[in-house]
């Protein structure tokens, strides 16, 4: 991904802003309409494969939105769906006109149904279940249907809660049996007592669930609706509200500015679960795991009570720029209270970065784990995965390893520039990946450095969750015959996204509407140097190992509205051709071991 302001120009017309009018939502009506129009203009202008704003797009939006609005069909009635279905082919007209009749109608209905179901589950769980009667539930969302009426909906909730209670009851019975085996003097609870305990557990979990639902604001729901529109272009084109973009940046850089405490929400309290070693909190020394944060103050400002606050909202108050002070009013496990001042700093999330180890089993093998292709688009001199992997390679070479494994399992991708540099660590020079924009000729991204950091035996591990940059790396290593790819078929994401900060394209006269958030748009597709796209097909390993999750529909091809596979001309490149690698022999011997392995047999 790259960051640029030159690719796209948004057309925000002053006249367009003058006729905004809306009632029935606490979302700023002007901001709502401007946001939607900006996103639509961005998608039309910059997307690799833009959609016509017509009935086809309207149907896509309606179908995907209804799927997400009530995925498990626990809230809406069939009559609700029928009421909203009249908008199925009208949403393109609403987009053009800047109206929200469908969205507003859906918002009203879902809020009413959530309130209804909140009453239902409490009434149902107030009475014991009769487990002598047979019952059934459908757990496959694709086979679920909307309830015919409120009576049918209550019955579905009854069966669902009965099942939840039964699961917990079975766990309690098993635990009691195990405890009594260890100590026969322990008094056993009756079935009725355990049933009450199981229902209380189910009540508690559903209370938490509905509390989270109640905490969803109209702004949150609007963001979800805008995101549905974006996702109808492809699964990786997304709208990010400001706080969501911040979380994405943290995942990409492995860094955030804050205090370095990991928090969790427990019974309405914001509790410290752990302290990041070396962080601002760790250095200050007073904040400990188990502490409950009750108030947050920005320096000497009035503290804000965070008891009962959503965890995400509390985190936004605690995070802040490096060098600023936050004061936490904390309740200690012994009941005492203390105000802890902490100067925020850069928090490094070490698990994001590349790590190496040596597997010493007759001969030493180097192992490098790379969780994500991380980089930092905004900070000069910050860590990048290519430089870190290079350091680990040099370290392993100095240890005289006989081969190296690069583990890209569950690596969802990241920086395109860094994957090009990283492949270059293993080859002389040449094309790494081909990139194509809408209506343009494909270009090759090349490694122009003839030096090779590591020229020994190489294995790359991938699985179903290896995507994007991981697939570029694995495909390049495979096409160059530089190493052996091992694992399961990769995800199949062959597209490139770019972030656009919507604030950068908003006229200064509308500064009051900021922040608008960001949109990540698919602007390019990438292709292997052999010409084939990794989109949909992914990378097929040289040695295929059975993998539990390969049987779950979770690859790119299983997403909503993915871009198709295609092929372009091959780039010019010269393979590594190491005579020591006999692919046929290696694959045959590996297959024998797989066929004889009881664990792999069990997976199949």
């Amino acid at each position: 991904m790259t960051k640029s302001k030159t690719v796209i120009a948004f057309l925000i017309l002053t006249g367009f802003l003058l006729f905004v009018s809306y009632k029935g939502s606490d979302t700023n009506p002007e901001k709502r309409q401007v946001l939607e129009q900006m996103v639509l203009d961005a998608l039309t202008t910059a997307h690799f494969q833009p959609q016509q704003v017509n009935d086809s797009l309207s149907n896509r939006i309606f179908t995907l939105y209804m799927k997400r609005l009530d995925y498990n069909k626990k809230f809406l009635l069939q009559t609700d769906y029928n009421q909203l279905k009249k908008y199925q082919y009208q949403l393109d007209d609403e987009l053009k006109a800047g109206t929200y009749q469908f969205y507003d109608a859906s918002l009203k209905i879902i809020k009413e149904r959530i309130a209804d179901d909140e009453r239902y589950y409490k009434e149902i769980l107030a009475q014991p279940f009769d487990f002598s009667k047979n019952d059934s539930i459908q757990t496959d969302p694709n086979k679920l249907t909307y309830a015919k009426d409120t009576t049918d909906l209550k019955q579905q909730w009854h069966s669902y809660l009965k099942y939840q209670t039964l699961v917990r009851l079975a766990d309690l019975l098993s635990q009691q049996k195990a405890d009594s085996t260890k100590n026969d003097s322990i008094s056993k609870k009756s079935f009725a007592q355990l049933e009450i305990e199981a229902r209380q557990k189910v009540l508690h979990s559903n209370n938490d669930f509905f509390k989270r639902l109640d905490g969803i604001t109209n702004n949150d729901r609007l963001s979800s609706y805008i995101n549905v529109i974006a996702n109808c272009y492809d699964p990786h084109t997304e709208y990010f509200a400001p706080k969501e973009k911040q979380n994405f940046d943290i995942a990409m850089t492995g860094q955030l500015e804050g205090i370095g405490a990991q928090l969790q929400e427990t019974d309405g309290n914001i509790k410290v679960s752990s302290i990041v070693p070396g962080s601002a909190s760790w250095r200050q020394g007073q904040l400990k795991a188990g502490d409950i944060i009750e108030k947050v103050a920005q320096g000497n400002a009035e503290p804000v009570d965070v008891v009962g606050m959503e965890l995400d909202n509390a985190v936004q108050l605690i995070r802040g720029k490096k060098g600023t002070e936050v004061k936490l009013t904390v309740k200690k496990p012994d009941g005492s209270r203390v105000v802890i001042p902490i100067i925020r700093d850069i928090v490094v999330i070490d698990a994001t970065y590349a790590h190496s180890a040596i597997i010493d089993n007759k001969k030493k093998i180097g192992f490098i784990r790379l969780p994500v292709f991380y980089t930092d688009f905004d900070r000069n001199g910050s860590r990048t995965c290519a430089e870190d992997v290079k350091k680990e390679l040099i370290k392993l070479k100095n240890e005289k390893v006989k081969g190296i494994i690069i583990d890209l399992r569950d690596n969802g991708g990241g920086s395109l520039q860094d994957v090009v540099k990283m492949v270059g660590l293993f080859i002389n020079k040449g094309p790494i990946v081909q990139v194509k924009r809408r209506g343009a000729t494909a270009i090759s991204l090349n490694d122009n450095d003839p030096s090779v950091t590591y020229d020994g035996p190489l294995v790359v591990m991938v699985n179903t969750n290896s995507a994007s940059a991981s697939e570029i790396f694995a495909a390049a290593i495979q096409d160059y015959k530089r190493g052996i790819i091992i694992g399961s078929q990769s995800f199949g994401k062959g597209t490139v996204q770019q972030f656009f900060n919507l604030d950068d394209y908003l006229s200064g006269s509308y500064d009051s509407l900021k922040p608008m958030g960001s949109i990540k748009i698919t602007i390019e597709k990438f292709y292997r140097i052999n010409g084939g796209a990794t989109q949909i097909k992914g990378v097929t390993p040289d040695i295929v190992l059975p993998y539990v999750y390969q049987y779950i529909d979770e690859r790119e091809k299983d997403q909503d509205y993915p871009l198709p596979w295609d092929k372009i001309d091959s780039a010019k490149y010269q393979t590594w051709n190491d005579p020591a690698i006999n692919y046929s022999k290696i694959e045959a011997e590996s297959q024998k071991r797989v066929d004889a392995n009881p664990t792999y047999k069990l997976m199949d």
Side-chain angles (χ1 to χ4, degrees):
M1 284 173 280
T2 59
K3 187 171 182 180
S4 168
K5 296 183 182 179
T6 61
V7 177
I8 182 171
F10 296 116
L11 303 177
I12 303 300
L13 305 180
T14 304
F16 167 78
L17 298 176
L18 298 180
F19 63 83
V20 176
S21 62
Y22 168 73
K23 295 179 181 179
S25 172
D26 60 10
T27 303
N28 182 322
E30 183 180 51
K31 181 172 181 175
R32 183 168 83 159
Q33 198 166 12
V34 172
L35 174 60
E36 184 182 273
Q37 189 62 42
M38 290 184 80
V39 168
L40 194 61
D41 286 345
L43 293 171
T44 302
T45 306
H47 196 273
F48 181 85
Q49 187 174 293
Q51 302 291 316
Q52 294 292 322
V53 183
N54 54 20
D55 285 355
S56 177
L57 179 61
S58 178
N59 180 52
R60 280 190 173 200
I61 295 171
F62 175 82
T63 303
L64 187 57
Y65 180 74
M66 293 303 296
K67 176 181 177 180
R68 294 181 180 176
L69 185 65
D70 185 13
Y71 184 71
N72 288 306
K73 296 183 173 62
K74 289 287 188 295
F75 297 98
L76 299 182
L77 305 175
Q78 184 63 50
T79 52
D80 298 328
Y81 178 82
N82 294 342
Q83 180 182 338
L84 295 172
K85 198 173 189 299
K86 68 181 181 181
Y87 295 101
Q88 185 172 3
Y89 297 103
Q90 297 178 19
L91 301 184
D92 55 321
D93 302 317
E94 289 200 356
L95 286 173
K96 294 173 183 176
T99 56
Y100 290 85
Q101 293 180 19
F102 166 70
Y103 170 75
D104 291 339
S106 71
L107 197 64
K108 182 175 182 295
I109 290 172
I110 194 65
K111 287 186 173 182
E112 289 176 352
R113 294 298 172 229
I114 288 173
D116 291 341
D117 290 351
E118 194 165 6
R119 292 195 300 272
Y120 298 160
Y121 86 83
K122 290 176 180 177
E123 292 172 2
I124 293 168
L125 290 172
Q127 302 296 325
F129 289 105
D130 183 357
F131 291 109
S132 66
K133 295 180 179 179
N134 289 333
D135 206 346
S136 65
I137 62 167
Q138 176 59 258
T139 59
D140 185 348
N142 296 319
K143 297 179 181 179
L144 290 169
T145 58
Y146 292 109
K148 297 188 294 291
D149 50 34
T150 54
T151 301
D152 186 23
L153 185 62
K154 286 180 182 179
Q155 181 55 48
Q156 288 187 20
W157 269 95
H158 185 277
S159 299
Y160 172 66
L161 295 169
K162 182 178 180 181
Y163 169 72
Q164 285 190 318
T165 302
L166 184 60
V167 170
R168 285 161 177 78
L169 181 57
D171 289 341
L172 290 172
L173 286 165
S174 296
Q175 186 61 51
Q176 179 168 270
K177 183 178 180 180
D179 291 343
S180 62
T181 301
K182 295 177 184 177
N183 186 354
D184 55 12
S185 64
I186 294 177
S187 59
K188 292 185 178 181
K189 296 179 181 178
S190 67
F191 183 89
Q193 289 174 316
L194 291 175
E195 194 273 345
I196 292 173
E197 189 174 338
R199 266 190 296 121
Q200 287 298 315
K201 288 179 180 291
V202 174
L203 178 64
H204 180 75
S205 65
N206 277 274
N207 285 341
D208 287 344
F209 172 65
F210 276 86
K211 181 183 177 182
R212 290 194 297 273
L213 288 180
D214 291 339
I216 299 174
T217 66
N218 281 5
N219 284 328
D220 293 332
R221 293 193 179 278
L222 177 63
S223 294
S224 298
Y225 180 62
I226 298 294
N227 201 33
V228 164
I229 297 172
N231 288 162
C232 286
Y233 285 68
D234 80 285
H236 309 290
T237 292
E238 302 173 82
Y239 169 70
F240 287 75
K243 64 181 179 181
E244 293 165 350
K245 176 59 165 58
Q246 185 181 35
N247 291 334
F248 178 89
D249 289 341
I250 291 167
M252 277 296 295
T253 63
Q255 295 182 346
L256 63 90
E257 292 179 309
I259 65 172
Q262 295 183 332
L263 309 177
Q264 65 185 83
E265 184 180 353
T266 305
D267 297 327
N269 293 315
I270 306 301
K271 188 175 183 180
V272 178
S273 57
S274 64
I275 302 295
V276 178
S279 66
S281 293
W282 183 85
R283 294 195 302 270
Q284 199 275 347
Q286 287 182 277
L287 192 66
K288 304 292 184 182
D291 290 351
I292 292 174
I293 300 174
E294 296 184 330
K295 296 179 181 180
V296 178
Q298 310 304 320
N300 294 322
E302 189 71 21
V304 176
D305 193 334
V306 297
V307 176
M309 183 180 288
E310 288 291 316
L311 177 61
D312 193 49
N313 294 330
V315 167
Q316 298 305 315
L317 291 175
I318 296 169
R319 281 181 191 164
K321 291 293 183 181
K322 175 182 177 180
T324 60
E325 184 183 51
V326 61
K327 291 181 179 177
L328 307 179
T329 302
V330 168
K331 180 181 179 182
K332 293 289 185 177
D334 62 4
S336 63
R337 285 176 173 81
V338 60
V339 176
I340 302 176
I342 301 174
I343 304 299
R344 299 178 177 104
D345 200 351
I346 299 295
V347 181
V348 176
I349 306 171
D350 197 50
T352 302
Y353 298 135
H355 293 82
S356 69
I358 293 176
I359 304 169
D360 198 348
N361 184 13
K362 296 183 180 179
K363 56 183 177 182
K364 294 198 293 186
I365 302 296
F367 182 90
I368 297 176
R369 169 73 180 144
L370 185 65
V372 66
F373 283 84
Y374 52 86
T375 193
D376 194 331
F377 296 116
D378 298 320
R379 295 188 183 96
N380 293 324
S382 293
R383 295 178 68 168
T384 68
C385 61
E387 286 301 318
D388 284 355
V389 168
K390 183 176 182 178
K391 292 175 184 176
E392 299 302 326
L393 288 173
I394 294 171
K395 187 193 310 181
L396 293 172
K397 280 177 62 179
N398 291 337
E399 292 290 334
K400 309 297 184 186
V401 297
K402 299 301 183 182
I404 288 179
I405 299 168
I406 304 290
D407 186 358
L408 300 181
R409 291 174 300 171
D410 301 317
N411 182 321
S415 168
L416 184 60
Q417 291 84 353
D418 276 85
V419 75
V420 171
K421 293 178 183 177
M422 198 168 125
V423 175
L425 301 174
F426 302 94
I427 66 168
N428 295 317
K429 62 179 180 178
I432 306 302
V433 62
Q434 300 186 85
V435 180
K436 188 177 186 301
R437 292 202 172 200
R438 183 176 84 197
T441 303
I443 61 171
S444 292
L445 301 183
N446 302 324
D447 165 43
N448 297 315
D449 184 353
S451 66
V452 178
T453 302
Y454 175 74
D455 61 1
L458 178 66
V459 165
V460 179
M461 300 177 71
V462 297
N463 64 9
T464 300
N465 295 322
S466 301
S468 192
S470 297
E471 295 174 292
I472 295 175
F473 183 87
I477 295 297
Q478 189 175 58
D479 289 344
Y480 273 106
K481 294 188 180 299
R482 174 60 188 87
I484 293 177
I485 313 303
I486 185 170
S488 59
Q489 189 85 16
S490 65
F491 186 82
K493 178 185 179 291
T495 56
V496 182
Q497 286 70 43
Q498 179 171 318
F499 265 103
F500 300 98
N501 184 344
L502 297 178
D503 289 353
D504 293 342
Y505 306 94
L506 191 64
S507 169
S509 58
Y510 299 104
D511 282 347
S512 62
L513 301 182
K514 296 178 180 179
M516 299 292 284
S518 301
I519 184 166
K520 178 164 65 75
I521 301 178
T522 295
I523 60 168
E524 297 171 326
K525 287 180 75 172
F526 52 69
Y527 299 82
R528 301 172 67 135
I529 54 177
N530 70 11
T534 54
Q535 176 68 8
I536 299 296
K537 290 188 177 182
V539 176
T540 301
D542 302 304
I543 296 173
V544 177
L545 301 180
Y547 179 56
V548 171
Y549 295 104
Q550 74 188 58
Y551 300 104
I552 298 175
D553 295 336
E554 60 173 13
R555 292 188 177 92
E556 178 81 0
K557 65 182 178 64
D558 305 308
Q559 309 303 305
D560 294 300
Y561 313 129
L563 296 183
W565 179 87
D566 61 341
K567 187 175 183 179
I568 61 174
D569 293 337
S570 171
K572 293 181 180 180
Y573 64 99
Q574 186 173 355
T575 57
W576 186 263
N577 284 332
D578 185 344
I581 300 178
N582 185 331
Y583 281 89
S584 298
K585 181 181 178 181
I586 291 171
E587 290 172 15
E589 291 180 350
S590 175
Q591 191 60 53
K592 287 180 183 178
R593 291 191 294 271
V594 169
D595 291 342
N597 189 294
T599 301
Y600 290 144
K601 287 181 180 180
L602 179 62
M603 286 184 187
D604 285 333

